[in-house]
Amino acid sequence: IIGTMFLFLAFLLTRFAAGADVEELNSLIDLKSSLDPENLYLGSWVVSGDPCGGTFEGVACNENGRVVNISLQGKGLAGKLSPAVGRLVHLTGLYLHYNSLYGEIPREIGNLVLLSDLYLNLNNLSGQIPSVLGRMQNLQVLQLCYNHLTGSIPTQLGSLKRLNVVALQHNLLTGAIPASLGDSKTLTRLDLSFNRLFGSIPTKLADAKMLGILDVRNNSLSGNVP
């Protein structure tokens, strides 16, 4: 009886582990169909494959078999970033820069609360910067420059306790520079140049003691330099 129970428990554990792997696999396949709709560059991402087996190009896993890194910079991807990315909740790094991605940044990206590096720069992304980025308390580097992003800079970015780099230059952003960015104790670089920002430079930015680079060139700012 004990042996039978052991086998049954082992079977249940195997099923549970397989179910978890299948969930991440399905999320990756959904992500692939959106990033690379014509299957030109991500042919190694197949339903019958193992994302953690070293065969999925640009995918890395941790010791627990969870997908933690997707590095597909400069791969010629010409699709969209699918909301499916929000299901890969163990991601710590997402590198999709130097591609031709278009469309909006999905709000589901806010589910990636372990993410430290988000590189979506040098694409053709449009729409607004999702305010849900303010949920990502482990975010350190936010690279969204050289896109076609519109709207204002989310004030929620100022609540991120580990944020080091905010690079939003060469977009179509409007509105004022959020004073909340001055609340950051870790921000070292803030590049907002070549946008359509207006209003004054917040005096509160002087409270960001670690800030070494502040670039606000080529905007429509007014008032005094604090």
Side-chain angles (χ1 to χ4, degrees), residues 21-211:
D21 292 340
V22 166
E23 185 177 348
E24 286 203 331
L25 173 61
N26 289 338
S27 298
L28 285 172
I29 296 303
D30 288 346
L31 186 61
K32 168 194 171 179
S33 66
S34 184
L35 290 175
D36 186 23
E38 297 186 18
N39 196 28
L40 298 175
Y41 308 102
L42 298 180
S44 61
W45 291 27
V46 292
V47 177
S48 58
D50 177 10
C52 298
T55 58
F56 274 50
E57 182 178 1
V59 175
C61 298
N62 61 15
E63 64 276 8
N64 298 319
R66 298 294 188 176
V67 176
V68 294
N69 193 297
I70 296 178
S71 299
L72 295 172
Q73 58 269 29
K75 295 297 183 182
L77 302 175
K80 296 182 177 183
L81 181 56
S82 168
V85 71
R87 304 202 302 265
L88 297 167
V89 294
H90 299 278
L91 276 181
T92 59
L94 181 60
Y95 305 92
L96 299 176
H97 48 301
Y98 290 100
N99 283 294
S100 299
L101 300 177
Y102 67 96
E104 298 187 359
I105 301 171
R107 287 181 52 81
E108 288 79 2
I109 204 165
N111 296 334
L112 306 181
V113 294
L114 299 181
L115 199 71
S116 62
D117 296 330
L118 178 58
Y119 284 72
L120 299 178
N121 46 307
L122 288 137
N123 280 288
N124 297 314
L125 298 172
S126 58
Q128 299 192 6
I129 300 173
S131 61
V132 292
L133 293 181
R135 298 180 192 164
M136 300 161 70
Q137 289 298 321
N138 285 292
L139 195 63
Q140 297 179 28
V141 178
L142 177 62
Q143 289 273 5
L144 301 179
C145 51
Y146 293 92
N147 279 291
H148 307 296
L149 299 171
T150 56
S152 58
I153 300 169
T155 60
Q156 291 86 348
L157 295 181
S159 67
L160 299 178
K161 305 300 184 186
R162 299 184 178 183
L163 198 58
N164 299 138
V165 174
V166 176
L168 305 179
Q169 68 269 27
H170 287 273
N171 277 290
L172 304 171
L173 299 172
T174 58
I177 299 173
S180 62
L181 293 171
D183 293 328
S184 176
K185 307 301 181 189
T186 55
L187 192 62
T188 60
R189 178 185 167 209
L190 177 61
D191 194 339
L192 308 177
S193 59
F194 295 90
N195 278 288
R196 299 174 179 177
L197 301 172
F198 54 81
S200 59
I201 301 173
T203 56
K204 192 169 177 58
L205 280 183
D207 294 338
K209 303 297 186 184
M210 299 296 293
L211 192 60

Side-chain angles (χ1 to χ4, degrees), residues 1 18 55 220:
I1 295 175
T55 58
S220 297

